[in-house]
Amino acid sequence: MIELHIEPFGVEEWMNRYETKAKYNIAETCVESLKVEELLNLSQDPAGAMRDIAGIKLTYGEIPGSGELRRAIASLYNSMDEDNVLITQGGIGANFLTQFSLVNPGDGVISAYPTYQQLYSVPKSFGASVHLLPLRPENNFLPDLNELEVVAKTAKNLRMICLNNPNNPTGALMDGDFLKRVVDIAKRYDAYILCDEVYRGLEHEASFKTPSIVDLYEKGISTGSMSKVFSLAGLRLGWILGSPEVIKQCFSHRDYMTISCGLVDEYLALIALKNRDRLLERNLKIVRKNFKILSSWVADEKKVGWIPPKAGTTAFLNFSDYGISSRDFCEGLLAETGAFLVPGSAFGPEFNGWARIGYACSSEVLQEGLKCLSSFLRKVEGEVNNAK
């Protein structure tokens, strides 16, 4: 009998266990979430939008997602239209459905690492042979393309390369030229590239826009959501972008997981997308301001290392000089101060000594959380010195 086994989801288990106990949640990955009232106020007619919501009949909507919503999502990309879009239950639903639809037992899958664990644990649970491609600080947490070539050549039945751009937890960013080199490798093996792009649009440099894999490669698949960039994680609404053939396969498998997403969720998502310029102005202001706050803090903490993130809402901080495991460090920090981080070990044992911070919360929460973090570092440092 074949037994389906999937590894425990390290980050999610950590968040589930501790997040509600935090006073200063500086582990959150979404840009400071909107209230419904704030979202409606982005529209031209908030009262009219509220009346529309009150009048929605709570039945099934269009099964793949409304045409208007899919067109709005397609407009976020350069070469897509509504037939290239499938609505899912969050970005996590998009990643799962893509791999469930396209990866078979015995296939080879390459995944960047560290990244969102779903991208490598899910295909492994399906019986795929998963090869982890390490992202190292000495390479600015970007894939080593020579190493990728070697792994692709040796992987049996290479089916998919999994990326996360911008990357969670490191904030590393692959530009168009870099991605084209990844595409060249994938083409040689006729492999899909699945790129989780949920942080795409939160670049620190105003002149730079993160390219999407679907605009660079005919077998590229992009997943996204309303959670991170649009501050609407509570809608639980995401999407898959890909060729009509990929969308057809995913739609067929989706019948076993989802009928339709919620009509109210779709309506609210459409308001955000129609007013995305105003929403992104708000969110980029938060991200860029808070990145400066975090950068200044790291500069003052001489024993804390990092590779400064280029985009997104997260950074990987190195506390290894303090000689304490990342889990003990984060548990002690929470218990002592109420500040909350994610230990690097939740991403894998190789990252013990690191911790993920999310810096797109309110600036006040970030500043208070960093004060707590500095205070806790002084305590740990004192204990280490006393032990000598």
Side-chain angles (χ1 to χ4, degrees):
M1 182 178 71
I2 297 175
E3 181 179 355
L4 178 67
H5 172 75
I6 192 165
E7 298 294 332
F9 204 139
V11 170
E12 295 303 329
E13 288 197 346
W14 177 267
M15 300 294 281
N16 292 341
R17 182 174 181 180
Y18 291 116
E19 188 172 20
T20 58
K21 301 176 183 178
K23 183 176 181 181
Y24 304 110
N25 187 347
I26 49 175
E28 175 59 67
T29 58
C30 302
V31 182
E32 179 71 6
S33 296
L34 290 169
K35 297 178 181 178
V36 174
E37 181 181 33
E38 292 175 306
L39 175 59
L40 296 183
N41 284 339
L42 291 175
S43 70
Q44 299 300 314
D45 182 11
M50 194 67 243
R51 288 194 298 272
D52 287 346
I53 293 171
I56 290 175
K57 188 174 184 179
L58 297 177
T59 184
Y60 298 117
E62 294 182 51
I63 302 306
S66 77
E68 188 176 13
L69 178 59
R70 287 185 288 128
R71 286 190 292 274
I73 292 169
S75 71
L76 302 173
Y77 304 81
N78 294 335
S79 57
M80 300 287 106
D81 61 33
E82 66 182 283
D83 293 332
N84 298 107
V85 183
L86 184 62
I87 305 300
T88 62
Q89 291 176 331
I92 196 168
N95 288 331
F96 186 93
L97 179 58
T98 300
Q99 294 179 322
F100 180 55
S101 303
L102 299 177
V103 176
N104 300 302
D107 284 344
V109 173
I110 300 171
S111 177
Y113 177 77
T115 189
Y116 197 53
Q117 185 180 333
Q118 182 189 33
L119 294 177
Y120 54 87
S121 287
V122 166
K124 183 179 179 181
S125 76
F126 294 157
S129 179
V130 176
H131 308 265
L132 298 179
L133 183 68
L135 307 178
R136 302 182 179 94
E138 56 266 32
N139 291 336
N140 294 317
F141 287 121
L142 294 174
D144 182 319
L145 294 178
N146 292 327
E147 191 170 357
L148 174 59
E149 180 72 71
V150 170
V151 176
K153 185 180 294 186
T154 56
K156 185 179 179 181
N157 301 322
L158 181 59
R159 180 70 165 171
M160 182 178 287
I161 298 171
C162 297
L163 306 173
N164 175 207
N165 192 42
N167 177 262
N168 168 18
T170 68
L173 178 62
M174 291 176 276
D175 63 18
D177 289 339
F178 193 99
L179 285 170
K180 287 175 184 176
R181 295 172 68 190
V182 177
V183 167
D184 288 341
I185 294 171
K187 281 183 175 179
R188 285 198 282 278
Y189 301 94
D190 194 32
Y192 291 105
I193 299 177
L194 169 61
C195 194
D196 180 329
E197 297 175 348
V198 296
Y199 299 96
R200 177 175 172 261
L202 295 176
E203 300 83 13
H204 297 165
E205 295 293 331
S207 61
F208 185 83
K209 303 298 179 187
T210 305
S212 174
I213 199 67
V214 293
D215 293 322
L216 300 175
Y217 182 35
E218 61 274 11
K219 295 192 75 170
I221 304 164
S222 168
T223 54
S225 82
M226 299 303 299
S227 298
K228 315 299 184 183
V229 176
F230 297 102
S231 301
L232 298 170
L235 295 189
R236 308 311 307 133
L237 194 144
W239 55 83
I240 301 168
L241 263 289
S243 69
E245 293 77 15
V246 164
I247 296 301
K248 182 179 179 181
Q249 282 187 267
C250 290
F251 191 34
S252 175
H253 288 79
R254 182 178 178 271
D255 287 339
Y256 288 92
M257 302 167 59
T258 309
I259 297 177
S260 66
C261 293
L263 288 174
V264 174
D265 291 346
E266 290 195 2
Y267 183 91
L268 293 172
L270 194 53
I271 290 177
L273 292 169
K274 284 181 176 179
N275 297 279
R276 65 177 181 262
D277 289 344
R278 294 176 63 191
L279 183 49
L280 283 173
E281 181 182 8
R282 171 217 188 239
N283 287 0
L284 286 169
K285 183 178 179 180
I286 292 171
V287 168
R288 290 169 181 170
K289 176 183 177 181
N290 287 2
F291 173 69
K292 290 179 180 178
I293 293 171
L294 178 59
S295 297
S296 177
W297 180 86
V298 174
D300 289 339
E301 291 291 347
K302 304 304 182 185
K303 292 176 70 175
V304 176
W306 73 336
I307 303 299
K310 300 293 186 181
T313 66
T314 64
F316 226 20
L317 303 178
N318 189 336
F319 298 101
S320 58
D321 281 354
Y322 288 89
I324 182 173
S325 76
S326 61
R327 187 178 186 92
D328 288 346
F329 182 92
C330 292
E331 286 181 339
L333 174 68
L334 179 63
E336 291 278 341
T337 71
F340 183 55
L341 296 174
V342 175
S345 58
F347 291 90
E350 298 89 338
F351 310 110
N352 198 8
W354 294 76
R356 187 187 75 184
I357 187 169
Y359 54 88
C361 50
S362 74
S363 297
E364 294 75 20
V365 168
L366 178 62
Q367 289 170 322
E368 290 302 316
L370 291 175
K371 287 179 184 177
C372 291
L373 187 48
S374 289
S375 174
F376 187 70
L377 289 173
R378 301 292 81 78
K379 178 183 177 183
V380 171
E381 194 168 23
E383 291 173 349
V384 170
N385 291 334
N386 290 336
K388 291 181 179 179

